[in-house]
Each structure stands twice: as structure tokens, then as C-alpha cells.
Amino acid sequence: MLDPTTGEVINRRLEHENGEAKKFYATLPSPARVGMEATCDAQWFERTLREHNHELWIGDAAEIRAAMVRKQKTDSRDALHILDLLLTNRFPRIWVPSPAERDLRQMLRHRHKLVRFRTSVMNQLHALAMGQGLCRKKKLWTKVGRKELEGLLLDPWASLRRKELLQLLDQLDPWIANLDAAVIQAAESRPPAVCLMQQAGVGPVTALAFVLTIGPVSRFASSKKVVSYLGLNPSEESSGGRQRLGAISKQGNPMMRYLLVEAAQTAARLDPELRRDYQRLKFRRGSAVAKVAIARKLAVRLYWKLREAAQPVSSARMQGSPASPVVGESLSPY
């Protein structure tokens, strides 16, 4: 910590579990500017700083680490490095969603996990049915198919597995249905999400997730920035005038990429232009590459829809004169 009135640099180690950290920030003169790396399990820390009117800056962990020359990494070195970035106006501050937006993200993530878990349960039941010569594909989940599945003669442990998997499936369906209704309500209450749903293949889940992931569209100067933010841009190792492109970087939100690829498959059937692009790429590079390419095109379209719908808003300055005092925080998850 730097006290700008005296110029004194204070280095302390604070324990979180015994309440020492909360007491320290409670006695700190406000408003203080605190910088920390982006990390998980830090909402309690953000809430503590808000309660005491302190300003929290969260920085890109990769950029913070890249600015460190030495290989030695300790909590004390990280804290001093973050403090130096704050004082020299080089801190790579990132956008942070509001608590309400974070809660909606939790809803989408919870639904996403339950849907994938339900798919796993259905695949296991389908494998049991195919092992007995019953192959109904999607018809297995109709009333007739379910009756055939329940009527299969299985060994005792396989029969118990079938019974409990069917119970799981029956329990997951109403949970996911309730989450679907909540997603639709949240998407319809947000004009940007409603605007995105006008695109063929984009439903409430993809539209709401895209809005919550991108945040203010004014953060991105071009569609290339959005594609890079989502990890859909190709990795590159070019040198000496020779360009080498690899697979996509996958540096963005994995759930958002998954939803975009899913939506791209539907959009490739409903949108004539995307269907032509998909068929051409599928013939040249295969279906897997074609799906990702259409997902990238879809992300670009959604970005421009948000740009056209957004009102011109003056961008707020991210940098400013240091508050009193300035703290570099290395928040260890252990």
C-alpha cells in the first residue's frame, strides 16, 4: 500500500478467514483504490470494499503477468507489481459486470450444466437400449419408446441403473423447464437480447448469454475485437514474412462459444446466406471447421446488431489520478 500523503509504502500480509482483512479495509481511509488480478471466489472481497466505499480495479491476469520480467512469483512480488502498475497508469483494467448481471450468468451456467447432465443421462439410457437391440434414436424419448425401454429384460444391476437414470431424467426435466421460463423472461425484459433474437437461429439462451458476456458494446471498436474476446479467432505464429495460422485460440468464455456453435448449426439451416457459406466450407474443410466458421460469422452479425441498436454513449475514462491511498492486492485462493 502507498500512502500518497506521506509517500510511505506499507507491506502487510492479511489473513482472510479470521477477519483481519475486513478489519484492515474498514479502518483504511476511504476512498482507496485497490487493484487485484481477475480471479474466482473473490465476490466477498468486492462486497467488503463496496461496504467501505473503496474503489476496486480488476485487471487482466495474463497482461499483469506478462508485464513482470522476472521469473520469481510470490504474493509479495505480485502485490508490489500491481501497485507499480496502478501508480504508473499501466494497470490493465477490465470490465466487470454488475451483481445482477453476475447472478443472471449463474442462472445460464446452471441451466447449461443441467442440460449437459441430462444429455449424459439420455446417452447412457440409449446405450442400455442399444445393448439389447433396441435402436429408436429420438423416438426412444416418446411415450411409446419410453414404454419399450422400461419393458426391456435386463440383468439386476443394469435394471437398477435404468431405473435410477429414468428417475434422474424425470427430475431434471422440470428443473430445466423452470430455468427455460426464467431465461425467456429475462431475455424479453432486455431490449438488446430481443434485438438479437431477430437473427435466425438465435433463441433466448444465446441472446441473453451474448448480451451478458459482451457487456457494453462500446467496449469493442470492431467485430475483430469481439471475435478475439470470444476466442473464435485463429491462433497465429508468424515471423519473417511467413504467416502461420492454427486452430482457434479458445481464450474466451467456453460456454458462449458452445452456445454460438449450437446456434450456428440452426442458423445454417434457416438463413440462406449462412447456409451457402456452411455448405461451401463443409465441402472444403469438413463439418467441424464449417460449424466454427459460421459461429464466428454469427458472432459478427450479433455484434453489429448491438452496435446499430445501441445509443451513442460517451466512453468513460478508465484511468485517473490515484485515490488515497492506493493498494496492490494479491488475493491468494488458498
Side-chain angles (χ1 to χ4, degrees):
M1 179 181 70
L2 171 69
D3 188 347
T5 58
T6 62
E8 180 183 6
V9 176
I10 303 170
N11 196 340
R12 288 185 55 184
R13 179 176 292 274
L14 304 174
E15 294 293 336
H16 299 154
E17 293 185 359
N18 59 9
E20 183 182 5
K22 291 185 177 181
K23 292 179 182 178
F24 171 78
Y25 286 102
T27 59
L28 202 63
S30 61
R33 178 176 299 162
V34 182
M36 63 173 286
E37 291 182 355
T39 181
C40 61
D41 304 327
Q43 294 186 17
W44 67 270
F45 183 68
E46 299 176 27
R47 185 167 55 251
T48 299
L49 295 182
R50 283 199 305 268
E51 291 173 356
H52 301 294
N53 300 320
H54 297 314
E55 182 184 11
L56 177 63
W57 283 17
I58 299 180
D60 188 329
E63 290 191 29
I64 291 175
R65 184 59 191 166
M68 175 72 75
V69 178
R70 300 189 62 173
K71 297 273 187 178
Q72 290 80 9
K73 180 179 178 7
T74 63
D75 288 343
S76 58
R77 284 185 179 276
D78 289 347
L80 288 173
H81 176 55
I82 292 174
L83 179 63
D84 178 67
L85 294 177
L86 285 169
L87 295 176
T88 57
N89 287 332
R90 294 183 296 120
F91 187 78
R93 190 181 182 187
I94 62 175
W95 170 76
V96 178
S98 66
E101 291 173 331
R102 284 185 174 181
D103 197 42
L104 284 176
R105 284 184 174 189
Q106 289 293 334
M107 178 185 66
L108 289 171
R109 189 173 294 112
H110 183 49
R111 180 198 172 277
H112 181 67
K113 296 292 185 181
L114 288 183
V115 169
R116 300 196 69 175
F117 185 46
R118 181 178 63 179
T119 302
S120 174
V121 171
M122 295 171 70
N123 289 340
Q124 293 177 64
L125 288 169
H126 195 231
L128 282 174
M130 291 183 66
Q132 301 300 319
L134 180 65
C135 183
R136 294 292 183 266
K137 297 184 179 180
K138 292 183 179 180
K139 293 182 179 180
L140 185 65
W141 313 117
T142 62
K143 291 183 179 180
V144 177
R146 170 90 178 234
K147 189 175 180 180
E148 289 181 324
L149 177 61
E150 293 174 344
L152 290 175
L153 295 177
L154 301 176
D155 294 332
W157 284 111
S159 178
L160 176 64
R161 183 186 178 198
R162 174 186 59 187
K163 176 184 175 182
E164 294 184 349
L165 287 175
L166 286 173
Q167 290 176 352
L168 274 175
L169 186 62
D170 293 338
Q171 191 174 22
L172 288 170
D173 284 338
W175 289 354
I176 295 174
N178 292 335
L179 289 171
D180 286 340
V183 169
I184 293 173
Q185 182 181 1
E188 291 178 348
S189 64
R190 292 175 172 263
V194 175
C195 175
L196 296 186
M197 285 190 286
Q198 297 173 2
Q199 168 65 42
V202 176
V205 176
T206 305
L208 183 62
F210 193 84
V211 170
L212 294 176
T213 303
I214 295 299
V217 71
S218 57
R219 297 194 302 133
F220 301 95
S222 65
S223 59
K224 290 184 179 180
K225 301 289 185 181
V226 175
V227 170
S228 177
Y229 184 75
L230 296 174
L232 290 170
N233 61 319
S235 57
E236 183 176 2
E237 292 185 5
S238 301
S239 179
R242 182 176 178 181
Q243 188 179 38
R244 299 178 179 89
L245 298 178
I248 59 174
S249 63
K250 296 185 180 181
Q251 289 185 311
N253 189 324
M255 187 184 76
M256 190 68 251
R257 280 197 308 275
Y258 180 90
L259 293 175
L260 284 172
V261 172
E262 271 195 336
Q265 298 176 63
T266 305
R269 295 196 305 268
L270 302 178
D271 190 292
E273 182 181 349
L274 294 180
R275 182 168 62 249
R276 288 194 298 269
D277 292 340
Y278 175 77
Q279 294 296 339
R280 185 181 69 254
L281 290 168
K282 180 182 177 181
F283 177 77
R284 292 173 51 206
R285 304 291 302 278
S287 60
V289 174
K291 291 175 185 178
V292 176
I294 299 303
R296 174 184 173 129
K297 289 178 178 290
L298 186 61
V300 172
R301 283 194 180 188
L302 297 183
Y303 164 75
W304 282 110
K305 280 184 176 293
L306 290 179
R307 280 285 300 268
E308 292 171 0
Q311 298 294 332
V313 180
S314 59
S315 58
R317 293 182 62 188
M318 298 292 289
Q319 304 290 344
S321 56
S324 172
V326 181
V327 183
E329 172 77 29
S330 176
L331 190 62
S332 174
Y334 305 105

